[in-house]
């Protein structure tokens, strides 16, 4: 058995300075390809890498020279963590252990009911795998032969689809199309050789709307047999999802089409999300999958730019990579980004759709912005003790007020921060970068900025020195011309007798 969750492998020789190229040169690539071919020969797999029948290199978009890609039925010795790859870190999650039987990695998934906590105060009865929502990360190596048993402990039939994995049709897991459904208490076996590497996924493909909406998804990560990019020091695996959980309800509503109110990273919404912890100088990889029902998610990281290095279709050639501070992760897709963590601090990381960083109580309520309640509270409390008008200045402060909320629900925004309430919720987490850290699996606490590097209330002296008035009167105001709507010029004059044209 092997469980490698939250392992760390520091390799300072792989750390590149910020802004350096994260990939290798074409010359190095050719050398690596030659070495890879030698390794395959030593492994007893002597089939020519340049064989005309070798499939296209799906991991390099055809831009890189072809490396040997295992064919169906052909596989290599099982890849080992540490030796062949740096295991991924799964915040709020875990990696599925495996056995090796006759050279095959054997995994076992159990589809079942799971009571899942989204954040303290909010639980729901979901469907997942092996007592967790989402399912555990399956981690393997290109060329591995994998055998995955799926036992159905639900009351409904199910299947598992290996999303993006290149495999024989009969192993694709589409209920009714490539196999019959797995009935309750049945166990099916899937077996195939991994012919690619990348960040892929798995999910139910029987009654998808219901079963994925109840949580039956997971990540399937395949490491390269012959990695050509430097290994990351920290390799994070994140799955995005969205849910509709009515306040006080005990189950998600998978029938919801648009009005999702619980947005999650690895099935947790803030403040229940576990931070991503790295050392200063670490080469960091973040893999993000999205099996939400309806929404794409632009994931934004503060304090850094990163390089988009992979999609679920494979590695992006070095010449086609570009820097970003937000990466859009479409539904049914994965994106992988990399950067060097050279900027210590606590850095927010979140979906930039603002309604995706709020929790379940913020939907369907009246707009109270600007309302002046006067004595409304006192009058209503005669009928409804404890009533308090809220929202006239926004939704911040709900956590600090400590106001009670309905059973099995959480405030729309808010987590306790080092200085104030963090007025975020939903798809929000924190990247913690530290110069010195003893245990990467323990929260190091809040970052303490060096003196002079943190925003504070302006002093009278600093205002006077800079010619700034505290009442705002010295600040430039928008010119009137900059706030006017544009007025189109009058139409051209028509010649006498010319017909009217209406653009049809």
């Amino acid at each position: 058995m092997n469980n490698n969750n939250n392992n760390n492998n520091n390799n300072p020789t792989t750390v590149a300075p910020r802004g350096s190229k994260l990939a290798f040169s074409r010359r190095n690539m050719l050398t690596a390809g030659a070495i890879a071919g030698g390794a395959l020969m030593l492994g007893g797999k002597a089939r020519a890498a340049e064989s005309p029948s070798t499939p296209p290199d799906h991991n390099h978009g055809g831009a890189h020279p072809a490396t040997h890609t295992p064919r169906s039925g052909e596989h290599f010795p099982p890849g080992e963590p540490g030796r062949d790859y740096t295991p991924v870190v799964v915040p709020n999650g875990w990696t599925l252990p495996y056995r090796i039987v006759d050279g095959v990695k054997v995994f076992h998934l159990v589809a079942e009911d799971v009571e899942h906590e989204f954040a303290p105060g909010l639980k729901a009865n979901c469907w997942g795998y092996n007592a967790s929502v989402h399912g555990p990360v399956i981690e393997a190596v290109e060329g591995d032969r994998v055998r995955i048993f799926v036992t159905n402990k639900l009351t409904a039939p199910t299947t598992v689809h290996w999303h993006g994995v290149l495999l024989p049709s009969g192993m694709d897991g589409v209920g009714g199309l490539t196999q019959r459904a797995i009935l309750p208490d049945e166990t099916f076996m899937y077996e195939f050789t991994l012919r690619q590497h990348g960040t892929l996924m798995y999910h139910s493909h029987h009654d998808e709307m219901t079963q994925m909406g109840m949580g039956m998804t997971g990540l399937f990560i395949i490491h390269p047999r012959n990695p050509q990019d430097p290994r990351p020091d920290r390799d994070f695996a994140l799955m995005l999802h969205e849910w509709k959980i009515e306040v006080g309800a005990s189950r998600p509503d998978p029938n919801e089409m648009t009005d999702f109110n619980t947005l999650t990273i690895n099935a947790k919404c803030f403040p229940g999300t576990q931070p991503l912890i790295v050392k200063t100088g670490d080469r960091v990889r973040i893999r993000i999958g999205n099996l939400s029902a309806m929404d794409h998610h632009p994931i934004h990281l503060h304090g850094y730019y990163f390089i988009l290095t992979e999609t679920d279709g494979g590695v992006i050639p070095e010449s086609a990579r570009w820097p970003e501070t937000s990466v859009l992760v479409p539904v049914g897709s994965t994106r992988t980004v990399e950067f060097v963590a050279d900027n210590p601090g606590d850095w927010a990381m979140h979906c930039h759709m603002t309604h995706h960083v709020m929790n379940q109580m913020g939907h369907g309520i009246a707009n109270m912005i600007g309302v002046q309640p006067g004595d409304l509270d006192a009058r209503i409390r005669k009928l409804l003790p404890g009533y308090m008008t809220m929202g006239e200045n926004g939704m911040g402060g709900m956590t600090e007020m400590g106001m009670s909320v309905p059973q099995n629900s959480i405030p729309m925004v808010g987590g306790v921060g080092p200085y104030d309430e963090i007025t975020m919720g939903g798809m929000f987490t924190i990247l913690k970068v530290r110069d010195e850290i003893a245990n990467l699996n323990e929260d190091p606490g809040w970052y303490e900025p060096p003196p002079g590097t943190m925003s504070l209330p302006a002093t009278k002296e600093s205002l006077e020195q800079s010619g700034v008035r505290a009442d705002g009167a010295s600040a430039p105001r928008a010119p009137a011309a900059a706030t006017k709507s544009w007025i189109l010029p009058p139409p051209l004059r028509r010649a006498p007798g010319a017909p009217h044209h209406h653009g049809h």
Side-chain angles (χ1 to χ4, degrees):
M1 285 286 193
N2 182 31
N3 187 349
N4 300 297
N5 187 26
N6 294 336
N7 283 357
N8 178 54
N9 181 17
N10 288 311
N11 183 0
T13 63
T14 67
V15 175
R18 188 180 187 196
S20 68
K21 295 178 179 179
L22 293 175
F24 44 87
S25 67
R26 179 175 175 81
R27 182 175 181 180
N28 290 339
M29 196 185 314
L30 290 169
T31 303
I35 294 172
L40 294 175
M41 291 293 288
L42 290 174
K45 305 296 180 184
R47 186 168 295 165
E50 303 301 329
S51 166
S53 60
T54 299
D57 183 357
H58 294 276
N59 295 301
H60 298 101
H64 293 189
T67 56
H68 186 89
T69 302
R71 304 178 182 191
S72 178
E74 178 189 38
H75 62 280
F76 302 113
E80 298 181 7
R83 186 194 70 182
D84 296 307
Y85 62 93
T86 300
V88 296
V89 180
V90 192
N92 299 113
W94 61 298
T95 302
L96 186 64
Y98 58 84
R99 294 184 178 88
I100 296 177
V101 179
D102 296 332
V104 177
K105 286 185 176 175
V106 178
F107 300 87
H108 189 185
L109 287 175
V110 179
E112 58 189 352
D113 293 288
V114 180
E115 183 184 52
H116 174 68
E117 181 180 270
F118 290 86
L122 177 61
K123 293 182 179 179
N125 296 318
C126 303
W127 290 353
Y129 299 98
N130 302 58
S132 69
V133 174
H134 305 288
V137 172
I138 296 176
E139 195 169 22
V141 177
E142 180 184 23
D144 281 352
R145 183 76 173 174
V146 297
R147 182 178 303 143
I148 307 173
F149 293 94
V150 177
T151 297
N152 183 9
K153 290 295 183 183
L154 298 170
T155 56
T158 191
T159 64
V160 177
H161 165 57
W162 316 103
H163 185 112
V165 178
L166 304 176
L167 38 60
S169 174
M171 294 290 168
D172 198 37
V174 180
L177 176 64
T178 62
Q179 67 168 86
R180 74 164 175 84
I182 309 171
L183 300 178
D185 294 326
E186 282 190 322
T187 297
F188 270 41
M189 186 180 82
Y190 299 84
E191 183 165 334
F192 43 87
T193 298
L194 302 175
R195 303 167 57 206
Q196 66 201 110
H197 62 83
T199 303
L200 308 170
M201 300 181 282
Y202 67 90
H203 59 81
S204 166
H205 217 302
H206 172 87
D207 190 9
E208 272 197 355
M209 181 193 77
T210 300
Q211 300 200 358
M212 292 176 68
M214 292 289 286
M216 298 182 69
T217 68
L219 284 166
F220 194 145
I221 293 171
I222 308 171
H223 296 275
R225 174 67 53 170
N226 302 294
Q228 297 174 339
D229 283 353
R231 281 193 191 181
D233 301 295
R234 298 287 276 170
D235 190 344
F236 294 98
L238 309 178
M239 174 69 87
L240 310 178
H241 206 62
E242 57 193 6
W243 316 71
K244 177 62 178 291
I245 308 174
E246 296 282 3
V247 171
S250 61
R251 282 193 183 277
D253 179 3
N255 299 317
E256 177 57 50
M257 183 177 290
T258 57
D259 192 15
F260 301 97
N261 61 6
T262 304
L263 286 296
T264 57
I265 300 173
N266 283 348
K268 298 287 186 182
C269 55
F270 186 78
T273 50
Q274 179 180 349
L276 283 59
I277 303 167
V278 306
K279 284 183 180 178
T280 304
D282 276 354
R283 178 182 290 276
V284 180
R285 175 180 294 161
I286 303 178
R287 307 165 185 262
I288 311 170
N290 180 13
L291 285 178
S292 301
M294 298 296 290
D295 289 302
H296 314 312
H297 299 292
I299 299 299
H300 175 58
L301 175 62
H302 293 212
Y304 287 91
Y305 69 86
F306 46 67
I307 303 295
L308 178 64
T309 59
E310 293 183 17
T311 71
D312 41 355
V315 175
I316 299 173
E318 181 184 358
S319 60
R321 300 177 183 181
W322 67 90
E324 294 262 25
T325 64
S326 300
V327 57
L328 182 64
V329 189
V331 173
S333 301
T334 73
R335 295 290 183 268
T336 299
V337 301
E338 296 188 16
F339 61 96
V340 175
D342 59 359
N343 195 6
D346 287 342
W347 302 106
M349 179 175 166
H350 58 92
C351 179
H352 222 290
M353 291 192 178
T354 56
H355 282 248
H356 293 180
V357 286
M358 56 195 290
N359 292 322
Q360 59 179 161
M361 293 183 63
H363 296 69
I365 62 176
N367 179 11
M368 299 292 286
I369 297 293
V371 168
Q372 299 179 10
D375 63 350
L376 179 65
D377 288 13
R379 294 164 59 189
I380 292 183
R381 282 173 187 160
K382 295 176 182 177
L383 302 173
L384 186 63
Y387 171 82
M388 180 173 63
T389 299
M390 56 182 289
E392 63 269 32
N393 293 308
M395 291 299 172
M398 296 176 66
T399 303
E400 289 183 325
M401 286 188 288
M403 59 184 299
S404 61
V405 296
Q407 186 176 6
N408 199 36
S409 66
I410 52 178
M412 187 168 66
V413 294
V416 179
Y419 308 104
D420 228 337
E421 178 190 42
I422 302 173
T423 51
M424 304 293 278
M427 210 171 267
F428 177 91
T429 190
I430 302 170
L431 172 72
K432 297 194 173 188
V433 183
R434 297 290 187 273
D435 292 337
E436 300 293 336
I437 186 167
N439 188 342
L440 288 165
N441 297 319
E442 291 184 1
D443 194 323
W446 299 111
Y447 182 71
E448 297 185 29
T453 66
M454 178 178 154
S455 180
L456 296 169
T459 63
K460 180 180 178 182
E461 291 74 18
S462 66
L463 290 168
E464 291 177 351
Q465 184 181 19
S466 300
V468 173
R469 289 181 51 175
D471 62 2
S474 60
R477 311 290 292 176
T483 62
K484 291 175 61 176
S485 299
W486 193 255
I487 304 298
L488 296 175
L492 297 174
R493 297 183 62 182
R494 296 189 302 276
H500 289 276
H501 295 282
H502 299 287
H504 300 295

